Amino acid sequence: MADELERPGEEPVEHEAEPHFPSPTIWPFAFAAGVALLLVGLIINLFLAAVGGAIALIFGFLWIREATREVRRRPVEAPPPEPVSELAVAEDEEEPERYPRSVFLEMSTLGVGALIGGIVTLPALGFMIAPAFVDQGYDEVDLGPLENFPEAQYVVATFYSKKDQASVGRRTAFVRNNGMKNDVPSFTIISNRCAHLGCPTQPQGLPGEEKKIVAAKRPVAITPVASVSGFQCPCHGGAYDDEGNRTAGPPVRALDRYQFLINNGNLVLTTSYSVSKVTGTGADAVIHAYKLADPGQHVDGPEQYFYPYIP
């Protein structure tokens, strides 16, 4: 021990130091929480995704800054060495360590782990999230000549949303011819999808004889219904009036509707949209329309802010 002590007037002896490892920190856990919030937000709410992305960026920066702290430190300039003999210089000269081995191993491990995580996660994430941002609208549906829809009477039209789909694309709409409004044909076209959980609703009236036609190479079944007083959902008791307004049960809004156009004397369905309520009836109805929403989703009032955003 006495030999290891430094005596006055002697040059200081360099002692081999233990490798210094980064101190424990919460930045990796906060970064992981931000990434998790980002992924969840991409599915249910874009605001949450933005918050998660901000958290991931902030704590990711702090994590990298903490991990590279040793590398960023500048070495302290030593005083000019005293002249020594060439023999002593040759014996004592060693290549200084420019990059600590512990930091190199740590950064290499983090880089390889991030690369593997990206290779595994990105494909699954793409398949999970991409469909929500891809246009999944339906084709225009030709329901046939206007003569198939007598004025002031509901007709149940059953069709396929896409030409190349089988029973999975089967859709039903309730169509009523309201006559002419300012020399323009007026139709009320209501979707049968319940605004509660999407169950098929049924008209409250007397069904007539079903008629099957082929319009634009697409099979369509048309069934007139007399004296329709409203629509009823057999699943959970949702009830609607003859304009599709909710009157009872758990639905949160009115029934969805279809836009339409008249092409060469045929009634053609285009896009669908959601409705909060309808004021008035027939051609004089005022429709409070919104972008198409999922069943159970509020489209107006404060409740709309508490439901996940649908891209």
Side-chain angles (χ1 to χ4, degrees):
M1 295 294 293
D3 294 340
E4 297 180 359
L5 297 177
E6 298 177 2
R7 296 185 177 89
E10 294 183 353
E11 294 184 1
V13 180
E14 294 184 1
H15 301 280
E16 187 175 352
E18 295 267 340
H20 175 71
F21 296 99
S23 58
T25 176
I26 64 169
W27 305 147
F29 302 99
F31 173 76
V35 172
L37 185 61
L38 171 64
L39 298 179
V40 173
L42 288 175
I43 300 174
I44 64 173
N45 193 298
L46 291 183
F47 176 75
L48 293 180
V51 173
I55 293 175
L57 287 176
I58 293 173
F59 289 104
F61 170 77
L62 294 176
W63 184 15
I64 295 174
R65 186 171 182 273
E66 179 72 19
T68 58
R69 182 176 56 183
E70 295 294 333
V71 181
R72 293 182 291 101
R73 286 181 176 176
R74 295 183 177 179
V76 180
E77 295 184 1
E82 297 181 359
V84 293
S85 64
E86 295 181 0
L87 180 61
V89 171
E91 292 178 351
D92 298 338
E93 185 176 0
E94 293 182 0
E95 184 70 22
E97 186 178 8
R98 298 182 178 181
Y99 201 89
R101 181 179 298 177
S102 61
V103 175
F104 172 75
L105 293 176
E106 180 181 359
M107 298 304 294
S108 300
T109 303
L110 291 175
V112 174
L115 179 61
I116 296 175
I119 294 175
V120 174
T121 304
L122 289 179
L125 189 63
F127 282 111
M128 178 177 62
I129 298 177
F133 297 91
V134 176
D135 184 15
Q136 301 184 34
Y138 301 127
D139 297 339
E140 292 184 352
V141 180
D142 191 335
L143 297 183
L146 299 182
E147 290 77 13
N148 293 329
F149 306 95
E151 188 173 341
Q153 182 180 2
Y154 266 110
V155 171
V156 178
T158 303
F159 53 90
Y160 294 106
S161 58
K162 292 183 178 294
K163 294 181 180 180
D164 56 350
Q165 286 182 338
S167 59
V168 68
R170 186 184 180 93
R171 298 288 184 270
T172 299
F174 308 130
V175 183
R176 184 183 62 196
N177 186 349
N178 299 320
M180 303 296 289
K181 176 71 173 179
N182 297 327
D183 296 329
V184 177
S186 172
F187 283 86
T188 297
I189 307 177
I190 300 176
S191 170
N192 77 324
R193 187 180 68 162
C194 181
H196 176 219
L197 294 178
C199 298
T201 59
Q202 300 174 354
Q204 301 301 297
L206 301 175
E209 183 179 355
E210 182 182 78
K211 177 182 179 182
K212 293 183 178 181
I213 63 174
V214 176
K217 299 182 180 181
R218 189 193 308 259
V220 178
I222 295 176
T223 304
V225 182
S227 304
V228 173
S229 59
F231 307 96
Q232 185 77 27
C233 177
C235 299
H236 306 97
Y240 307 86
D241 62 16
D242 60 344
E243 289 294 332
N245 287 310
R246 172 194 172 275
T247 57
V252 298
R253 62 176 191 267
L255 291 172
D256 296 340
R257 293 198 176 201
Y258 285 93
Q259 294 182 340
F260 68 94
L261 56 87
I262 308 300
N263 185 14
N264 295 327
N266 287 10
L267 178 64
V268 179
L269 303 187
T270 58
T271 58
S272 55
Y273 59 94
S274 292
V275 178
S276 62
K277 63 179 180 178
V278 179
T279 305
T281 59
D284 298 323
V286 177
I287 303 170
H288 299 264
Y290 296 84
K291 183 179 178 181
L292 183 64
D294 283 350
Q297 180 181 357
H298 293 267
V299 294
D300 62 349
E303 297 89 348
Q304 63 180 308
Y305 302 107
F306 297 95
Y307 192 88
Y309 174 76
I310 306 298

PDB file of all heavy atoms in Angstrom, residues 269-299:
ATOM      1  N   LEU A 269     -78.590   5.032 -55.863  1.00  0.00           N
ATOM      2  CA  LEU A 269     -78.074   5.393 -54.542  1.00  0.00           C
ATOM      3  C   LEU A 269     -76.587   5.708 -54.647  1.00  0.00           C
ATOM      4  O   LEU A 269     -75.835   5.022 -55.337  1.00  0.00           O
ATOM      5  CB  LEU A 269     -78.268   4.248 -53.546  1.00  0.00           C
ATOM      6  CG  LEU A 269     -79.693   3.731 -53.337  1.00  0.00           C
ATOM      7  CD1 LEU A 269     -79.718   2.724 -52.194  1.00  0.00           C
ATOM      8  CD2 LEU A 269     -80.648   4.871 -53.059  1.00  0.00           C
ATOM      9  N   THR A 270     -76.143   6.743 -53.923  1.00  0.00           N
ATOM     10  CA  THR A 270     -74.724   7.098 -53.900  1.00  0.00           C
ATOM     11  C   THR A 270     -74.172   6.887 -52.486  1.00  0.00           C
ATOM     12  O   THR A 270     -74.199   5.759 -51.989  1.00  0.00           O
ATOM     13  CB  THR A 270     -74.522   8.540 -54.382  1.00  0.00           C
ATOM     14  OG1 THR A 270     -75.277   9.448 -53.552  1.00  0.00           O
ATOM     15  CG2 THR A 270     -74.998   8.695 -55.826  1.00  0.00           C
ATOM     16  N   THR A 271     -73.707   7.916 -51.849  1.00  0.00           N
ATOM     17  CA  THR A 271     -73.098   7.768 -50.527  1.00  0.00           C
ATOM     18  C   THR A 271     -74.163   7.836 -49.435  1.00  0.00           C
ATOM     19  O   THR A 271     -75.259   8.374 -49.620  1.00  0.00           O
ATOM     20  CB  THR A 271     -72.057   8.872 -50.286  1.00  0.00           C
ATOM     21  OG1 THR A 271     -72.688  10.154 -50.420  1.00  0.00           O
ATOM     22  CG2 THR A 271     -70.924   8.758 -51.283  1.00  0.00           C
ATOM     23  N   SER A 272     -73.804   7.301 -48.273  1.00  0.00           N
ATOM     24  CA  SER A 272     -74.692   7.359 -47.107  1.00  0.00           C
ATOM     25  C   SER A 272     -74.141   8.352 -46.094  1.00  0.00           C
ATOM     26  O   SER A 272     -72.954   8.682 -46.107  1.00  0.00           O
ATOM     27  CB  SER A 272     -74.834   5.975 -46.479  1.00  0.00           C
ATOM     28  OG  SER A 272     -73.575   5.427 -46.169  1.00  0.00           O
ATOM     29  N   TYR A 273     -75.003   8.822 -45.209  1.00  0.00           N
ATOM     30  CA  TYR A 273     -74.608   9.804 -44.198  1.00  0.00           C
ATOM     31  C   TYR A 273     -75.452   9.592 -42.946  1.00  0.00           C
ATOM     32  O   TYR A 273     -76.506   8.938 -42.982  1.00  0.00           O
ATOM     33  CB  TYR A 273     -74.766  11.230 -44.729  1.00  0.00           C
ATOM     34  CG  TYR A 273     -76.168  11.602 -45.171  1.00  0.00           C
ATOM     35  CD1 TYR A 273     -77.053  12.244 -44.309  1.00  0.00           C
ATOM     36  CD2 TYR A 273     -76.610  11.305 -46.464  1.00  0.00           C
ATOM     37  CE1 TYR A 273     -78.342  12.583 -44.724  1.00  0.00           C
ATOM     38  CE2 TYR A 273     -77.885  11.642 -46.885  1.00  0.00           C
ATOM     39  CZ  TYR A 273     -78.750  12.280 -46.008  1.00  0.00           C
ATOM     40  OH  TYR A 273     -80.027  12.604 -46.417  1.00  0.00           O
ATOM     41  N   SER A 274     -74.995  10.144 -41.846  1.00  0.00           N
ATOM     42  CA  SER A 274     -75.710  10.008 -40.573  1.00  0.00           C
ATOM     43  C   SER A 274     -76.591  11.219 -40.336  1.00  0.00           C
ATOM     44  O   SER A 274     -76.359  12.310 -40.875  1.00  0.00           O
ATOM     45  CB  SER A 274     -74.723   9.841 -39.417  1.00  0.00           C
ATOM     46  OG  SER A 274     -74.053   8.605 -39.509  1.00  0.00           O
ATOM     47  N   VAL A 275     -77.615  11.025 -39.505  1.00  0.00           N
ATOM     48  CA  VAL A 275     -78.616  12.061 -39.238  1.00  0.00           C
ATOM     49  C   VAL A 275     -78.853  12.119 -37.730  1.00  0.00           C
ATOM     50  O   VAL A 275     -79.027  11.080 -37.081  1.00  0.00           O
ATOM     51  CB  VAL A 275     -79.934  11.746 -39.969  1.00  0.00           C
ATOM     52  CG1 VAL A 275     -80.991  12.794 -39.652  1.00  0.00           C
ATOM     53  CG2 VAL A 275     -79.702  11.651 -41.472  1.00  0.00           C
ATOM     54  N   SER A 276     -78.850  13.320 -37.192  1.00  0.00           N
ATOM     55  CA  SER A 276     -79.183  13.460 -35.769  1.00  0.00           C
ATOM     56  C   SER A 276     -80.697  13.490 -35.565  1.00  0.00           C
ATOM     57  O   SER A 276     -81.225  12.832 -34.666  1.00  0.00           O
ATOM     58  CB  SER A 276     -78.553  14.731 -35.202  1.00  0.00           C
ATOM     59  OG  SER A 276     -79.063  15.883 -35.867  1.00  0.00           O
ATOM     60  N   LYS A 277     -81.383  14.252 -36.418  1.00  0.00           N
ATOM     61  CA  LYS A 277     -82.843  14.307 -36.359  1.00  0.00           C
ATOM     62  C   LYS A 277     -83.367  14.882 -37.653  1.00  0.00           C
ATOM     63  O   LYS A 277     -82.624  15.474 -38.446  1.00  0.00           O
ATOM     64  CB  LYS A 277     -83.325  15.132 -35.170  1.00  0.00           C
ATOM     65  CG  LYS A 277     -82.907  16.597 -35.241  1.00  0.00           C
ATOM     66  CD  LYS A 277     -83.427  17.365 -34.045  1.00  0.00           C
ATOM     67  CE  LYS A 277     -82.990  18.847 -34.127  1.00  0.00           C
ATOM     68  NZ  LYS A 277     -83.522  19.627 -32.981  1.00  0.00           N
ATOM     69  N   VAL A 278     -84.663  14.709 -37.879  1.00  0.00           N
ATOM     70  CA  VAL A 278     -85.333  15.230 -39.069  1.00  0.00           C
ATOM     71  C   VAL A 278     -86.522  16.054 -38.609  1.00  0.00           C
ATOM     72  O   VAL A 278     -87.350  15.592 -37.812  1.00  0.00           O
ATOM     73  CB  VAL A 278     -85.795  14.088 -40.001  1.00  0.00           C
ATOM     74  CG1 VAL A 278     -86.517  14.670 -41.212  1.00  0.00           C
ATOM     75  CG2 VAL A 278     -84.611  13.240 -40.431  1.00  0.00           C
ATOM     76  N   THR A 279     -86.605  17.282 -39.108  1.00  0.00           N
ATOM     77  CA  THR A 279     -87.725  18.166 -38.790  1.00  0.00           C
ATOM     78  C   THR A 279     -88.614  18.271 -40.021  1.00  0.00           C
ATOM     79  O   THR A 279     -88.133  18.577 -41.117  1.00  0.00           O
ATOM     80  CB  THR A 279     -87.225  19.555 -38.381  1.00  0.00           C
ATOM     81  OG1 THR A 279     -86.310  19.428 -37.303  1.00  0.00           O
ATOM     82  CG2 THR A 279     -88.382  20.438 -37.948  1.00  0.00           C
ATOM     83  N   GLY A 280     -89.899  18.026 -39.860  1.00  0.00           N
ATOM     84  CA  GLY A 280     -90.808  18.030 -40.990  1.00  0.00           C
ATOM     85  C   GLY A 280     -90.905  16.648 -41.615  1.00  0.00           C
ATOM     86  O   GLY A 280     -90.303  15.677 -41.149  1.00  0.00           O
ATOM     87  N   THR A 281     -91.672  16.550 -42.684  1.00  0.00           N
ATOM     88  CA  THR A 281     -91.889  15.253 -43.320  1.00  0.00           C
ATOM     89  C   THR A 281     -91.785  15.380 -44.839  1.00  0.00           C
ATOM     90  O   THR A 281     -91.963  16.461 -45.410  1.00  0.00           O
ATOM     91  CB  THR A 281     -93.289  14.704 -42.971  1.00  0.00           C
ATOM     92  OG1 THR A 281     -94.282  15.638 -43.420  1.00  0.00           O
ATOM     93  CG2 THR A 281     -93.435  14.470 -41.477  1.00  0.00           C
ATOM     94  N   GLY A 282     -91.515  14.234 -45.481  1.00  0.00           N
ATOM     95  CA  GLY A 282     -91.537  14.162 -46.933  1.00  0.00           C
ATOM     96  C   GLY A 282     -90.583  15.128 -47.606  1.00  0.00           C
ATOM     97  O   GLY A 282     -89.448  15.337 -47.177  1.00  0.00           O
ATOM     98  N   ALA A 283     -91.078  15.757 -48.673  1.00  0.00           N
ATOM     99  CA  ALA A 283     -90.249  16.682 -49.444  1.00  0.00           C
ATOM    100  C   ALA A 283     -89.932  17.950 -48.672  1.00  0.00           C
ATOM    101  O   ALA A 283     -88.979  18.661 -49.017  1.00  0.00           O
ATOM    102  CB  ALA A 283     -90.967  17.032 -50.752  1.00  0.00           C
ATOM    103  N   ASP A 284     -90.692  18.261 -47.625  1.00  0.00           N
ATOM    104  CA  ASP A 284     -90.458  19.471 -46.829  1.00  0.00           C
ATOM    105  C   ASP A 284     -89.592  19.202 -45.605  1.00  0.00           C
ATOM    106  O   ASP A 284     -89.409  20.097 -44.773  1.00  0.00           O
ATOM    107  CB  ASP A 284     -91.799  20.067 -46.371  1.00  0.00           C
ATOM    108  CG  ASP A 284     -92.662  20.490 -47.562  1.00  0.00           C
ATOM    109  OD1 ASP A 284     -92.084  20.978 -48.553  1.00  0.00           O
ATOM    110  OD2 ASP A 284     -93.897  20.310 -47.498  1.00  0.00           O
ATOM    111  N   ALA A 285     -89.061  18.018 -45.479  1.00  0.00           N
ATOM    112  CA  ALA A 285     -88.268  17.668 -44.299  1.00  0.00           C
ATOM    113  C   ALA A 285     -86.942  18.421 -44.292  1.00  0.00           C
ATOM    114  O   ALA A 285     -86.316  18.628 -45.337  1.00  0.00           O
ATOM    115  CB  ALA A 285     -88.017  16.168 -44.257  1.00  0.00           C
ATOM    116  N   VAL A 286     -86.511  18.821 -43.107  1.00  0.00           N
ATOM    117  CA  VAL A 286     -85.202  19.436 -42.886  1.00  0.00           C
ATOM    118  C   VAL A 286     -84.336  18.397 -42.187  1.00  0.00           C
ATOM    119  O   VAL A 286     -84.620  17.987 -41.056  1.00  0.00           O
ATOM    120  CB  VAL A 286     -85.307  20.715 -42.038  1.00  0.00           C
ATOM    121  CG1 VAL A 286     -83.914  21.293 -41.777  1.00  0.00           C
ATOM    122  CG2 VAL A 286     -86.200  21.737 -42.725  1.00  0.00           C
ATOM    123  N   ILE A 287     -83.288  17.957 -42.868  1.00  0.00           N
ATOM    124  CA  ILE A 287     -82.455  16.866 -42.376  1.00  0.00           C
ATOM    125  C   ILE A 287     -81.177  17.442 -41.755  1.00  0.00           C
ATOM    126  O   ILE A 287     -80.440  18.181 -42.407  1.00  0.00           O
ATOM    127  CB  ILE A 287     -82.084  15.902 -43.522  1.00  0.00           C
ATOM    128  CG1 ILE A 287     -83.358  15.371 -44.182  1.00  0.00           C
ATOM    129  CG2 ILE A 287     -81.223  14.765 -43.016  1.00  0.00           C
ATOM    130  CD1 ILE A 287     -83.087  14.598 -45.461  1.00  0.00           C
ATOM    131  N   HIS A 288     -80.929  17.122 -40.495  1.00  0.00           N
ATOM    132  CA  HIS A 288     -79.702  17.536 -39.808  1.00  0.00           C
ATOM    133  C   HIS A 288     -78.658  16.450 -40.073  1.00  0.00           C
ATOM    134  O   HIS A 288     -78.563  15.460 -39.346  1.00  0.00           O
ATOM    135  CB  HIS A 288     -79.962  17.722 -38.314  1.00  0.00           C
ATOM    136  CG  HIS A 288     -80.996  18.774 -38.017  1.00  0.00           C
ATOM    137  ND1 HIS A 288     -80.668  20.073 -37.708  1.00  0.00           N
ATOM    138  CD2 HIS A 288     -82.355  18.719 -38.013  1.00  0.00           C
ATOM    139  CE1 HIS A 288     -81.759  20.780 -37.507  1.00  0.00           C
ATOM    140  NE2 HIS A 288     -82.813  19.967 -37.689  1.00  0.00           N
ATOM    141  N   ALA A 289     -77.886  16.646 -41.142  1.00  0.00           N
ATOM    142  CA  ALA A 289     -76.998  15.597 -41.652  1.00  0.00           C
ATOM    143  C   ALA A 289     -75.574  15.786 -41.151  1.00  0.00           C
ATOM    144  O   ALA A 289     -75.110  16.910 -40.913  1.00  0.00           O
ATOM    145  CB  ALA A 289     -77.014  15.601 -43.176  1.00  0.00           C
ATOM    146  N   TYR A 290     -74.876  14.656 -41.018  1.00  0.00           N
ATOM    147  CA  TYR A 290     -73.478  14.634 -40.586  1.00  0.00           C
ATOM    148  C   TYR A 290     -72.728  13.568 -41.376  1.00  0.00           C
ATOM    149  O   TYR A 290     -73.329  12.729 -42.050  1.00  0.00           O
ATOM    150  CB  TYR A 290     -73.371  14.331 -39.083  1.00  0.00           C
ATOM    151  CG  TYR A 290     -73.997  15.382 -38.205  1.00  0.00           C
ATOM    152  CD1 TYR A 290     -75.363  15.373 -37.927  1.00  0.00           C
ATOM    153  CD2 TYR A 290     -73.220  16.390 -37.639  1.00  0.00           C
ATOM    154  CE1 TYR A 290     -75.939  16.338 -37.117  1.00  0.00           C
ATOM    155  CE2 TYR A 290     -73.789  17.360 -36.828  1.00  0.00           C
ATOM    156  CZ  TYR A 290     -75.146  17.324 -36.569  1.00  0.00           C
ATOM    157  OH  TYR A 290     -75.712  18.286 -35.767  1.00  0.00           O
ATOM    158  N   LYS A 291     -71.406  13.597 -41.253  1.00  0.00           N
ATOM    159  CA  LYS A 291     -70.584  12.563 -41.862  1.00  0.00           C
ATOM    160  C   LYS A 291     -70.969  11.205 -41.288  1.00  0.00           C
ATOM    161  O   LYS A 291     -71.312  11.091 -40.115  1.00  0.00           O
ATOM    162  CB  LYS A 291     -69.104  12.856 -41.591  1.00  0.00           C
ATOM    163  CG  LYS A 291     -68.152  11.879 -42.245  1.00  0.00           C
ATOM    164  CD  LYS A 291     -66.708  12.264 -41.930  1.00  0.00           C
ATOM    165  CE  LYS A 291     -65.740  11.272 -42.529  1.00  0.00           C
ATOM    166  NZ  LYS A 291     -64.324  11.634 -42.211  1.00  0.00           N
ATOM    167  N   LEU A 292     -70.908  10.160 -42.114  1.00  0.00           N
ATOM    168  CA  LEU A 292     -71.323   8.831 -41.688  1.00  0.00           C
ATOM    169  C   LEU A 292     -70.562   8.403 -40.442  1.00  0.00           C
ATOM    170  O   LEU A 292     -69.329   8.452 -40.398  1.00  0.00           O
ATOM    171  CB  LEU A 292     -71.099   7.823 -42.819  1.00  0.00           C
ATOM    172  CG  LEU A 292     -71.566   6.394 -42.528  1.00  0.00           C
ATOM    173  CD1 LEU A 292     -73.075   6.346 -42.338  1.00  0.00           C
ATOM    174  CD2 LEU A 292     -71.142   5.466 -43.658  1.00  0.00           C
ATOM    175  N   ALA A 293     -71.292   7.975 -39.426  1.00  0.00           N
ATOM    176  CA  ALA A 293     -70.715   7.544 -38.149  1.00  0.00           C
ATOM    177  C   ALA A 293     -71.124   6.110 -37.859  1.00  0.00           C
ATOM    178  O   ALA A 293     -72.093   5.597 -38.423  1.00  0.00           O
ATOM    179  CB  ALA A 293     -71.171   8.467 -37.017  1.00  0.00           C
ATOM    180  N   ASP A 294     -70.390   5.478 -36.976  1.00  0.00           N
ATOM    181  CA  ASP A 294     -70.697   4.114 -36.599  1.00  0.00           C
ATOM    182  C   ASP A 294     -71.931   4.062 -35.705  1.00  0.00           C
ATOM    183  O   ASP A 294     -72.286   5.055 -35.050  1.00  0.00           O
ATOM    184  CB  ASP A 294     -69.520   3.495 -35.843  1.00  0.00           C
ATOM    185  CG  ASP A 294     -68.390   3.089 -36.775  1.00  0.00           C
ATOM    186  OD1 ASP A 294     -68.606   3.112 -37.995  1.00  0.00           O
ATOM    187  OD2 ASP A 294     -67.308   2.756 -36.275  1.00  0.00           O
ATOM    188  N   PRO A 295     -72.603   2.910 -35.641  1.00  0.00           N
ATOM    189  CA  PRO A 295     -73.719   2.767 -34.699  1.00  0.00           C
ATOM    190  C   PRO A 295     -73.256   3.031 -33.266  1.00  0.00           C
ATOM    191  O   PRO A 295     -72.154   2.643 -32.862  1.00  0.00           O
ATOM    192  CB  PRO A 295     -74.148   1.308 -34.884  1.00  0.00           C
ATOM    193  CG  PRO A 295     -73.701   0.948 -36.258  1.00  0.00           C
ATOM    194  CD  PRO A 295     -72.433   1.706 -36.482  1.00  0.00           C
ATOM    195  N   GLY A 296     -74.092   3.705 -32.517  1.00  0.00           N
ATOM    196  CA  GLY A 296     -73.766   4.027 -31.135  1.00  0.00           C
ATOM    197  C   GLY A 296     -72.988   5.304 -30.962  1.00  0.00           C
ATOM    198  O   GLY A 296     -72.757   5.738 -29.834  1.00  0.00           O
ATOM    199  N   GLN A 297     -72.588   5.952 -32.042  1.00  0.00           N
ATOM    200  CA  GLN A 297     -71.802   7.175 -31.958  1.00  0.00           C
ATOM    201  C   GLN A 297     -72.700   8.394 -32.070  1.00  0.00           C
ATOM    202  O   GLN A 297     -73.464   8.531 -33.027  1.00  0.00           O
ATOM    203  CB  GLN A 297     -70.740   7.215 -33.053  1.00  0.00           C
ATOM    204  CG  GLN A 297     -69.886   8.477 -33.004  1.00  0.00           C
ATOM    205  CD  GLN A 297     -68.841   8.516 -34.105  1.00  0.00           C
ATOM    206  OE1 GLN A 297     -68.730   7.561 -34.874  1.00  0.00           O
ATOM    207  NE2 GLN A 297     -68.096   9.590 -34.199  1.00  0.00           N
ATOM    208  N   HIS A 298     -72.591   9.299 -31.106  1.00  0.00           N
ATOM    209  CA  HIS A 298     -73.324  10.560 -31.175  1.00  0.00           C
ATOM    210  C   HIS A 298     -72.708  11.455 -32.245  1.00  0.00           C
ATOM    211  O   HIS A 298     -71.490  11.505 -32.409  1.00  0.00           O
ATOM    212  CB  HIS A 298     -73.278  11.276 -29.828  1.00  0.00           C
ATOM    213  CG  HIS A 298     -74.023  10.574 -28.735  1.00  0.00           C
ATOM    214  ND1 HIS A 298     -75.330  10.839 -28.422  1.00  0.00           N
ATOM    215  CD2 HIS A 298     -73.631   9.591 -27.882  1.00  0.00           C
ATOM    216  CE1 HIS A 298     -75.720  10.068 -27.416  1.00  0.00           C
ATOM    217  NE2 HIS A 298     -74.705   9.305 -27.076  1.00  0.00           N
ATOM    218  N   VAL A 299     -73.540  12.184 -32.957  1.00  0.00           N
ATOM    219  CA  VAL A 299     -73.051  13.097 -33.984  1.00  0.00           C
ATOM    220  C   VAL A 299     -73.274  14.553 -33.605  1.00  0.00           C
ATOM    221  O   VAL A 299     -72.766  15.451 -34.284  1.00  0.00           O
ATOM    222  CB  VAL A 299     -73.721  12.804 -35.339  1.00  0.00           C
ATOM    223  CG1 VAL A 299     -73.299  11.440 -35.857  1.00  0.00           C
ATOM    224  CG2 VAL A 299     -75.243  12.890 -35.247  1.00  0.00           C
TER     225      VAL A 299
END
